[in-house]
């Protein structure tokens, strides 16, 4: 049996015996079966073409032979592309690349091409052999993939609701803008726009109306869009506008036009709303700008525009940053104050006109500041601008008031109720009522000893119905509800119809003018008449003189509260201002506080 070595030797010998012509014929046959092959002269005229070339080009062989290869050009590649190719092969180099050609019927096709120059003995190129493979299907797949990527990129950078650029696109636009070099006289304006009425429309007319409003705003903003004006929705009801110009004075002119365009009437949920917006913006030289800085400055300017009443434009100024830093320092100091138990409750007398009845007290928050002494809440409004801090303070007030009520009850101090102020942040906790009842049980305080004071401001917003429901639960349990600062908010008479309440407190701004028999007197008399007709009672705040007290008494006011009777005092001093032997429940002899309180 022959060995494997002998078989291999026999195979080699047979190859050597294979004639050169037979060898060439086989190679051509193999190529013809798998590749598109053509031979051209040095000028590009086609000398020969195989069957696959004829098939893919759509030209008969006799129309190809002798013709310039440029007849297949598709127009996809520019002249520079072919110049580089011809330069390579003319110098005897092999060129490889992908070419798009055009069939006789006009259709395009792609071929992976290798062009090999054939050189004579003297090294001169005599002709070229082009071997191509059809890659049209692959190129179409790549084009579809690229198109899908483009569509995906557009989707990723487009706001799904308004069909304008979103926050992702906004961030990328800013990044690209600030990483490029610009002429020194080029300026950028970053403006943040917030819809003033969006929450009210969402709450009263529903989210569908809110979505329609966002689309309307976006469509109006689109009319200002240009190569130098980029518009995006960056979240909720907030939009961003980025403008670039050599003339920074034109920015505010354009923004005023935008602000005016944001003022319109909008119909939703059967209601007509008056829409407006607040704009805050910052301007800087493009080469000097930084993304975070200019965004922060525009945000501060927007905050200022909203704080000043909305429906306006504010340009960033240095004082805004300083103001924010002060707020930040104050919030930090308040957090430390809560931890170090610097906050206390003081109590102000609420005296009934009927001296046979027991007095009540309002629990008032005070901060025993280590440097500034005792401060009232109007000295630290930052505490109530931060929802987390506001809730923490509300929790302290609630617990401390219940502990103090228990203490007064144990000491046998005669009082009717203690009023506890509650904010909208307290009601954000959907378990506030249950928590209050739980704490009342913990400190053995009955509902008949508590009044919850609310202001009209907490009745606006998305939690409106929830708050009304919670107030009803509290009232059913025996806790009284008092409407504080009445007349200084919005739609006060409407609230008398919708809110469960026991007391209305007339704000001190009206009490101050009660002796002048002017419009304040007319308002107070009207409120007293309305509230009494509903079977409720009226408390007058800010009573500072006996003349005011007498005038209010003649109008039928039920309770008095103010410095004429008592300032806010610590819990320990409550027994000293009361006549503990019985009515009229207040001392007639002069009494001086052992602590001065910043009211």
């Amino acid at each position: 049996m022959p060995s494997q070595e002998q078989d291999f030797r026999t195979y080699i010998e047979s190859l050597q015996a294979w004639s050169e012509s037979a060898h060439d014929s086989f190679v051509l046959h193999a190529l013809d079966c798998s590749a598109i092959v053509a031979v051209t002269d040095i000028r590009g005229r086609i000398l020969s073409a195989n069957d696959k070339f004829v098939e893919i080009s759509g030209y008969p062989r006799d129309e190809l032979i002798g013709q310039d290869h440029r007849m297949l050009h598709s127009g996809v590649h520019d002249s520079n592309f072919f110049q580089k190719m011809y330069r390579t092969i003319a110098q005897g180099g092999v060129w490889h690349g992908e070419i798009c050609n055009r069939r006789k019927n006009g259709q395009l096709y792609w071929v992976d091409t290798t062009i090999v120059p054939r050189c004579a003995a003297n090294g001169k190129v005599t002709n070229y052999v082009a071997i191509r493979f059809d890659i049209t299907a692959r190129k179409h797949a790549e084009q579809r993939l690229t198109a899908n990527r483009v569509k995906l990129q557009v989707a990723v950078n487009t706001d799904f609701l308004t069909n304008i650029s979103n926050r992702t696109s906004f961030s990328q636009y800013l990044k690209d803008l600030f990483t490029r070099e610009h002429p020194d006289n080029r300026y950028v304006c970053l403006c943040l726009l917030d819809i003033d009425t969006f929450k009210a429309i969402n709450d009263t007319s529903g989210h569908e109306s809110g979505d329609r409003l966002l689309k309307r705003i976006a469509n109006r903003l689109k009319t200002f869009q240009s190569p130098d004006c980029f518009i995006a929705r960056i979240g909720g009801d907030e939009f961003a506008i980025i403008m670039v110009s050599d003339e920074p004075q034109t920015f505010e002119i354009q923004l005023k036009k935008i602000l005016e365009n944001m003022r319109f009437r909008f119909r939703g949920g059967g209601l007509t709303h008056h829409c407006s917006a607040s704009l805050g913006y910052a301007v800087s030289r493009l080469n000097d700008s930084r993304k975070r800085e200019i965004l922060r400055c525009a945000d501060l300017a927007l905050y200022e525009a909203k704080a000043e009443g909305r429906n306006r434009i504010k340009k960033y100024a240095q004082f805004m940053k300083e103001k924010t830093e002060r707020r930040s320092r104050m919030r930090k100091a308040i957090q430390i104050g809560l931890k170090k138990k610097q906050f206390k409750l003081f109590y102000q007398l609420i005296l009934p006109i009927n001296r046979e009845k027991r007095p009540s007290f309002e629990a008032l928050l005070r901060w025993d500041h280590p440097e500034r002494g005792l401060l009232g809440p109007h000295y630290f409004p930052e505490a109530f601008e931060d929802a987390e801090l506001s809730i923490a303070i509300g929790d302290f007030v609630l617990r401390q008031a219940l502990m103090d009520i228990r203490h007064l009850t144990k000491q046998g101090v005669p009082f009717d109720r203690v009023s506890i102020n509650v904010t909208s942040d307290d009601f954000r906790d959907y378990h506030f009522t249950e928590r209050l009842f739980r704490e009342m049980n913990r400190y053995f305080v009955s509902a008949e000893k508590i009044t919850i004071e609310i202001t009209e401001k907490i009745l606006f917003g998305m939690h409106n119905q929830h708050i009304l429901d919670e107030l009803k639960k509290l009232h059913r349990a025996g806790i009284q509800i008092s409407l504080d600062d009445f007349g200084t908010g919005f739609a006060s008479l409407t609230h008398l119809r919708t809110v469960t309440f026991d007391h209305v407190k007339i704000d001190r701004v009206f009490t101050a003018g009660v002796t002048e028999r002017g419009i304040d007197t007319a308002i107070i008399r009207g409120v007293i008449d309305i509230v009494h007709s509903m079977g409720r009672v009226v408390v007058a705040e800010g009573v500072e003189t006996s003349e005011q007290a007498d005038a209010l008494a003649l109008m039928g006011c039920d309770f008095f509260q103010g410095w004429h009777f008592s300032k806010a005092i610590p819990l320990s001093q409550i027994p000293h201002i009361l006549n503990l032997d019985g009515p009229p429940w207040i001392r007639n002899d002069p009494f001086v506080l052992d602590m001065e309180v910043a009211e």
Side-chain angles (χ1 to χ4, degrees), residues 347-362 408 413-419 448-449 451 503 558-561 565-566 574-575 577-580 582-587:
Y347 292 88
Q348 188 171 34
L349 187 70
I350 301 175
L351 196 66
I353 193 169
N354 181 351
R355 296 301 179 91
E356 296 298 319
K357 294 182 178 180
R358 291 184 173 187
S360 295
F361 292 90
E362 180 181 356
L408 292 174
V413 176
F415 72 99
D416 185 27
R417 291 174 182 262
V418 168
S419 295
E448 287 70 26
K449 286 295 181 185
T451 296
H503 308 149
D558 304 288
F559 292 87
F560 303 113
Q561 182 177 355
F565 302 102
S566 167
I574 287 179
I577 67 165
L578 295 180
N579 177 8
L580 299 186
W585 303 119
I586 187 166
R587 296 169 63 95

Side-chain angles (χ1 to χ4, degrees), residues 32 115 127 129 170 182 244 277 306 409 415 476 479 488 502:
D32 203 38
I115 303 175
N127 53 45
V129 177
F170 164 76
H182 302 275
V244 177
K306 291 162 73 173
T409 304
F415 72 99
R476 283 196 297 267
I479 295 173
T488 60
D502 298 277

Side-chain angles (χ1 to χ4, degrees), residues 330 367 372 374-382 598-599:
M330 177 65 81
W367 183 8
R372 300 171 63 190
L374 284 167
L375 303 175
H378 58 282
Y379 284 92
F380 49 94
E382 296 82 1
E599 291 289 342

Side-chain angles (χ1 to χ4, degrees), residues 137-172:
R138 192 196 82 194
K139 294 298 289 188
H140 286 171
E142 288 176 355
Q143 289 168 357
R144 286 194 298 271
L145 182 60
T146 301
N148 288 336
R149 283 175 177 167
V150 170
K151 288 180 181 178
L152 179 61
Q153 190 67 24
V154 170
V156 166
N157 288 284
T158 303
D159 179 56
F160 73 96
L161 179 65
T162 61
N163 205 32
I164 64 173
S165 297
N166 61 11
R167 190 178 192 92
T168 301
S169 179
F170 164 76
S171 297
Q172 189 61 47

Side-chain angles (χ1 to χ4, degrees), residues 181-196:
E181 285 295 323
H182 302 275
D184 288 338
N185 65 336
R186 201 73 169 150
Y187 289 82
V188 60
C189 169
L190 174 57
C191 174
L192 298 180
L193 180 152
D194 191 86
I195 306 172
D196 296 331

Side-chain angles (χ1 to χ4, degrees), residues 77-307:
H77 310 287
D78 59 17
S79 58
N80 188 49
F81 174 85
F82 290 107
Q83 286 173 5
K84 287 181 180 179
M85 181 185 74
Y86 290 139
R87 192 179 300 122
T88 300
I89 59 178
Q91 294 173 355
V94 176
W95 184 88
H96 177 261
E98 296 178 352
I99 300 178
C100 181
N101 285 335
R102 187 180 298 276
R103 291 186 175 93
K104 184 177 181 179
N105 64 6
Q107 290 181 339
L108 302 180
Y109 64 97
W110 284 84
V111 283
D112 184 291
T113 304
T114 301
I115 303 175
V116 182
R118 186 169 188 172
C119 300
N122 61 3
K124 189 176 181 180
V125 176
T126 59
N127 53 45
Y128 304 104
V129 177
I131 303 171
R132 302 175 175 87
F133 294 93
D134 184 7
I135 58 169
T136 305
R138 192 196 82 194
K139 294 298 289 188
H140 286 171
E142 288 176 355
Q143 289 168 357
R144 286 194 298 271
L145 182 60
T146 301
N148 288 336
R149 283 175 177 167
V150 170
K151 288 180 181 178
L152 179 61
Q153 190 67 24
V154 170
V156 166
N157 288 284
T158 303
D159 179 56
F160 73 96
L161 179 65
T162 61
N163 205 32
I164 64 173
S165 297
N166 61 11
R167 190 178 192 92
T168 301
S169 179
F170 164 76
S171 297
Q172 189 61 47
Y173 185 90
L174 270 186
K175 181 180 177 181
D176 294 343
L177 190 65
F178 292 143
T179 51
R180 296 196 304 267
E181 285 295 323
H182 302 275
D184 288 338
N185 65 336
R186 201 73 169 150
Y187 289 82
V188 60
C189 169
L190 174 57
C191 174
L192 298 180
L193 180 152
D194 191 86
I195 306 172
D196 296 331
T197 49
F198 181 69
K199 288 183 179 178
I201 291 173
N202 242 358
D203 294 342
T204 57
S205 299
H207 293 288
E208 185 179 339
S209 294
D211 288 348
R212 285 198 298 109
L213 176 61
L214 290 172
K215 291 177 183 178
R216 178 83 62 86
I217 293 290
N219 288 335
R220 286 173 171 252
L221 287 174
K222 277 182 189 177
T223 62
F224 295 92
Q225 200 160 258
S226 71
D228 288 334
C229 183
F230 174 86
I231 306 288
R233 179 189 174 205
I234 58 176
D237 61 330
E238 192 171 32
F239 294 80
I241 304 161
I242 305 173
M243 293 184 286
V244 177
S245 176
D246 299 338
E247 302 175 345
Q249 66 272 17
T250 63
F251 292 143
E252 182 147 350
I253 296 172
Q254 186 78 333
L255 292 177
K256 284 180 178 178
K257 292 178 182 177
I258 291 175
L259 180 67
E260 184 62 34
N261 207 252
M262 295 300 105
R263 296 172 179 144
F264 58 92
R265 289 184 179 182
F266 177 79
R267 185 79 178 168
L271 300 173
T272 299
H273 303 273
H274 294 273
C275 297
S276 65
S278 298
L279 280 70
Y281 74 100
V283 176
S284 175
R285 287 182 185 272
L286 254 177
N287 288 338
D288 299 336
S289 298
R290 295 294 180 269
K291 175 183 172 181
R292 288 186 179 179
E293 291 177 6
I294 196 168
L295 187 57
R296 177 62 175 156
C297 292
D299 193 50
L300 291 174
L302 176 61
Y303 181 89
E304 200 70 23
K306 291 162 73 173

